Amino acid sequence: MKREAPLKVTIALIPLAMALCVLGICRGEVATVLAKAINICMECIGLG
Amino acid sequence: MDKNARKIKAKKAAGLRKAVQAGWGILSNAYIQGFLPGDPVIYQGNLKQVCVPGMNCYSCPGALGSCPIGSMQAIFDSRNRGIGAYVIGYLAIIGLFVGRFICAWLCLFGLLQELLYKIPTPKLTVPEKIDRPLRYLKYLMLFVMVFLLPFFYRSQYGAGEPFFCKYICPVGTLEGGIPLVLLNSMMRGALGWLFRWKFLLLILCVAASVFIYRPFCKYICPLGAFYGLFQKVSLIRMRVDREKCVDCGICAGTCRMNVDPRRMPNSNECIRCRACIHACPMQALSMGIGPGQTQMQRQAGQAAKDVKEQ
């Protein structure tokens, strides 16, 4: 069985992931997501 | 616990999991107005700023949240070429907490495949020689169709494309395309080769699901591939107690994702459905926070502590 990452690694990575998420929010990516999601995505449904 | 009691417990647990999947599916697609005939209306509220954790097309008439894979591509292919930090960070948080647990518990498309697999037909075991390389296809989907192409490709008008959603995703066809086309005559008139191609992929996926357990999750799903990358570092992990394990192999035989929990309890392919935990006659498998310790390791740790204290 392969050795697994200790819990410390997980605990260190969680704030990094949170920081990445916050960075995206600060860059205005939430608005991009919302703008895409509130209109019917023609490509996604096979019409675009 | 005897064999029959174990079987009953496993059946109950599987039923509970399906109920959670179905409940989540209904809850995340509860915009009833979208299903009314006439002009297509989808939910346009603020909830769509947030992605649902599983595959769920945001163009489904009932969808209340955004699709994580679609959102990632939307950020990459936008004119100001975002880096996808919001969605990648958000999915990484989920992955770091629970890994692929979402695949088994909160994915509507996963539930659909499981129900199709219940149709009583002879089941197909994909030979390992084909199965192993095919498993890497989902990583190719993630890195090429979700990351690279939407980020780098631009048409002559400067527009990007959500490559995975547009050319591959059967979830969009099933949850978005078919209901919208059925509810709206104008959309029916706009059907072309792309819809036919995506419909063909959906039919293939549905047909394969009758004979193979969760083929989309095993071979294609970029979201499963993404969560899979966190399996070995996630907070919640599968554990094997080596002192209790008698190597009977029942767990490996039970796993429909073809994982051997004895060798790789936190394999990228494990969707954490817990079937192996319920099947183990020795109760050697469990799920908990972190890698966990065996009884011997715990005793050794305690002994070391005692020596330090003295």
Side-chain angles (χ1 to χ4, degrees):
Chain A
M1 193 175 75
K2 283 182 185 172
R3 262 183 75 86
E4 282 174 17
L7 203 55
K8 283 180 213 164
V9 175
T10 313
I11 292 165
L13 286 172
I14 290 172
L16 282 180
M18 285 176 173
L20 196 62
C21 196
V22 172
L23 173 72
I25 294 169
C26 295
R27 283 176 52 94
E29 292 180 357
V30 178
T32 311
V33 169
L34 183 66
K36 180 76 179 179
I38 59 172
N39 296 300
I40 292 173
C41 168
M42 290 300 183
E43 296 103 327
C44 306
I45 64 170
L47 297 181
Chain B
M1 201 187 292
D2 73 349
K3 205 176 167 183
N4 266 348
R6 250 191 358 259
K7 258 187 180 171
I8 292 167
K9 204 177 162 199
K11 222 174 172 180
K12 271 187 186 169
L16 172 73
R17 188 168 67 82
K18 287 206 172 57
V20 172
Q21 281 174 296
W24 175 255
I26 292 167
L27 199 70
S28 51
N29 292 286
Y31 186 66
I32 307 292
Q33 212 180 324
F35 292 104
L36 302 176
D39 283 344
V41 182
I42 60 168
Y43 172 69
Q44 299 190 317
N46 282 336
L47 278 178
K48 277 204 170 162
Q49 290 179 346
V50 184
C51 300
V52 290
M55 290 290 276
N56 199 112
C57 184
Y58 39 31
S59 290
C60 168
L64 291 173
S66 285
C67 167
I69 291 298
S71 300
M72 221 187 289
Q73 291 169 91
I75 295 171
F76 287 145
D77 72 24
S78 63
R79 280 182 196 276
N80 56 359
R81 213 176 240 156
I83 52 169
Y86 168 53
V87 184
I88 292 175
Y90 170 80
L91 294 179
I93 295 169
I94 296 174
L96 282 167
F97 273 92
V98 293
R100 280 191 81 176
F101 184 85
I102 300 295
C103 304
W105 292 81
L106 297 179
C107 184
L108 190 59
F109 199 64
L111 172 67
L112 175 84
Q113 290 172 83
E114 283 183 26
L115 294 178
L116 287 166
Y117 191 73
K118 278 193 172 288
I119 296 172
T121 56
K123 302 302 173 192
L124 197 72
T125 309
V126 182
E128 210 181 326
K129 256 197 279 180
I130 301 169
D131 180 73
R132 275 185 79 95
L134 266 185
R135 299 269 180 153
Y136 290 102
L137 189 59
K138 59 179 174 290
Y139 297 100
L140 204 70
M141 291 289 167
L142 176 67
F143 290 108
V144 177
M145 302 297 275
V146 177
F147 287 166
L148 296 179
L149 288 175
F151 190 79
F152 288 110
Y153 171 82
R154 288 291 177 273
S155 72
Q156 54 180 331
Y157 309 107
E161 278 188 2
F163 277 83
F164 182 79
C165 293
K166 186 170 179 179
Y167 298 107
I168 310 286
C169 188
V171 187
T173 316
L174 180 72
E175 294 179 359
I178 294 173
L180 286 170
V181 161
L182 288 176
L183 292 168
N184 186 265
S185 58
M186 220 169 68
M187 282 193 166
R188 277 197 293 277
L191 299 184
W193 70 269
L194 186 61
F195 189 85
R196 282 194 287 274
W197 162 249
K198 288 196 67 180
F199 191 72
L200 174 72
L201 289 182
L202 174 65
I203 296 292
L204 286 175
C205 187
V206 166
S209 301
V210 177
F211 304 102
I212 303 167
Y213 185 74
R214 283 182 174 240
F216 179 76
C217 310
K218 279 179 181 168
Y219 307 122
I220 310 288
C221 183
L223 188 58
F226 187 87
Y227 286 143
L229 299 174
F230 294 93
Q231 289 278 93
K232 290 176 186 68
V233 290
S234 66
L235 210 57
I236 290 179
R237 285 185 225 175
M238 288 286 298
R239 300 155 168 187
V240 188
D241 192 327
R242 297 282 156 201
E243 278 103 61
K244 285 183 182 172
C245 179
V246 290
D247 252 335
C248 62
I250 289 175
C251 53
T254 307
C255 182
R256 286 179 171 164
M257 292 300 283
N258 309 106
V259 174
D260 186 344
R262 294 166 301 171
R263 284 195 297 150
M264 292 189 78
N266 291 295
S267 155
N268 292 22
E269 300 301 323
C270 169
I271 57 170
R272 295 179 171 170
C273 67
R274 297 173 60 92
C276 56
I277 295 176
H278 296 294
C280 178
M282 306 308 293
Q283 277 135 40
L285 293 165
S286 62
M287 198 181 271
I289 293 177
Q293 290 178 315
T294 62
Q295 202 182 344
M296 212 185 282
Q297 282 169 328
R298 273 194 299 274
Q299 281 168 355
Q302 189 58 47
K305 237 185 200 174
D306 292 343
V307 168
K308 232 181 184 179
E309 276 169 16
Q310 283 167 12

